[in-house]
Amino acid sequence: AQSVTQLGSHVSVSEGALVLLRCNYSSSVPPYLFWYVQYPNQGLQLLLKYTSAATLVKGINGFEAEFKKSETSFHLTKPSAHMSDAAEYFCAVSSAGGSYIPTFGRGTSLIVHP
Amino acid sequence: DAGITQSPRHKVTETGTPVTLRCHQTENHRYMYWYRQDPGHGLRLIHYSYGVKDTDKGEVSDGYSVSRSKTEDFLLTLESATSSQTSVYFCAITSSGGAGNEQFFGPGTRLTVL
């Protein structure tokens, strides 16, 4: 079985501040991990993914995430928030040998204040 | 952008009526998925397809059926709509069933059941 927990349904930051969105996963086999972003009234699009190569993964729009096996975490960060980063962010996990269909977290809404 | 369209984009219907949502892709991808998105629940898998006429249930399949007679089209049917099926429905595709493959999402259909 696999599952994802996203801590905090809403995260509020000021423009220019660090963005940190938390994701913890559970998987009985080595996982593949994804972060997706959803802008208002749109579908999800991939930000970045971890597929067992480098543990630090860089994505689009300046986001990155670090896979930490010991902590079963895959937190998403961005050094400096921009107003255009305001969106819903979803973490997802899938696993070869387990379910190849990703399981999604409940999402975190990022609010960016001017 | 992946060529995925959903129709209709918005629909209001009454309890007890049948509803069919369509997902159309131009990518010739084998795998197609239907999700529903509800506040506080993230994305939940309804049904998926791994080829023409090959479909399987997801975690919230009760009250829904699907059909796939062509590679490019995946239909989701609510046989008798209920208010609990008010939601935003997303279609997604992947090129193969590998666990590390990203999903590409359609723009969504907002369904309201009165």
Side-chain angles (χ1 to χ4, degrees):
Chain A
Q2 60 193 27
S3 65
V4 167
T5 301
Q6 291 185 241
L7 296 176
S9 58
H10 295 83
V11 169
S12 181
V13 300
S14 298
E15 192 173 21
L18 171 72
V19 175
L20 171 61
L21 305 183
R22 299 178 186 273
C23 172
N24 287 88
Y25 70 91
S26 172
S27 175
S28 57
V29 295
Y32 296 95
L33 294 158
F34 306 82
W35 276 102
Y36 287 86
V37 61
Q38 182 184 32
Y39 299 105
N41 299 313
Q42 295 185 25
L44 281 69
Q45 56 183 280
L46 184 72
L47 265 182
L48 50 82
K49 67 177 181 180
Y50 166 77
T51 57
S52 77
T55 57
L56 182 62
V57 181
K58 295 187 183 298
I60 62 172
N61 301 336
F63 284 93
E64 62 181 37
E66 186 172 9
F67 172 69
K68 292 187 177 181
K69 182 178 179 180
S70 61
E71 299 178 7
T72 60
S73 69
F74 191 58
H75 301 331
L76 182 71
T77 61
K78 181 175 181 178
S80 177
H82 193 274
M83 296 296 291
S84 61
D85 294 326
E88 189 87 12
Y89 291 81
F90 292 93
C91 183
V93 61
S94 63
S95 53
S99 173
Y100 68 88
I101 300 174
T103 299
F104 286 83
R106 297 188 175 190
T108 298
S109 178
L110 178 64
I111 302 160
V112 183
H113 297 287
Chain B
D1 290 343
I4 310 170
T5 56
Q6 293 184 233
S7 58
R9 293 292 315 279
H10 301 270
K11 186 170 182 66
V12 179
T13 191
E14 298 203 344
T15 298
T17 60
V19 176
T20 295
L21 308 183
R22 180 185 184 229
C23 177
H24 179 78
Q25 57 136 335
T26 58
E27 306 297 318
N28 200 35
H29 281 3
R30 179 180 173 189
Y31 290 76
M32 299 185 74
Y33 312 81
W34 276 108
Y35 292 91
R36 59 178 290 173
Q37 182 179 20
D38 304 289
H41 291 276
L43 268 73
R44 293 180 291 175
L45 182 67
I46 305 171
H47 281 280
Y48 65 100
S49 170
Y50 46 96
V52 173
K53 299 191 188 303
D54 292 323
T55 65
D56 207 348
K57 297 178 180 180
E59 65 175 299
V60 291
S61 60
D62 287 349
Y64 302 94
S65 63
V66 290
S67 66
R68 191 164 177 206
S69 59
K70 299 184 291 184
T71 298
E72 57 266 35
D73 289 327
F74 193 31
L75 304 181
L76 177 70
T77 297
L78 291 65
E79 302 290 346
S80 177
T82 67
S83 58
S84 65
Q85 294 175 311
T86 292
S87 186
V88 181
Y89 292 85
F90 287 97
C91 174
I93 64 174
T94 54
S95 58
S96 69
N101 291 319
E102 71 174 283
Q103 291 180 307
F104 298 93
F105 286 83
T109 294
R110 184 172 296 275
L111 176 67
T112 302
V113 183
L114 302 177

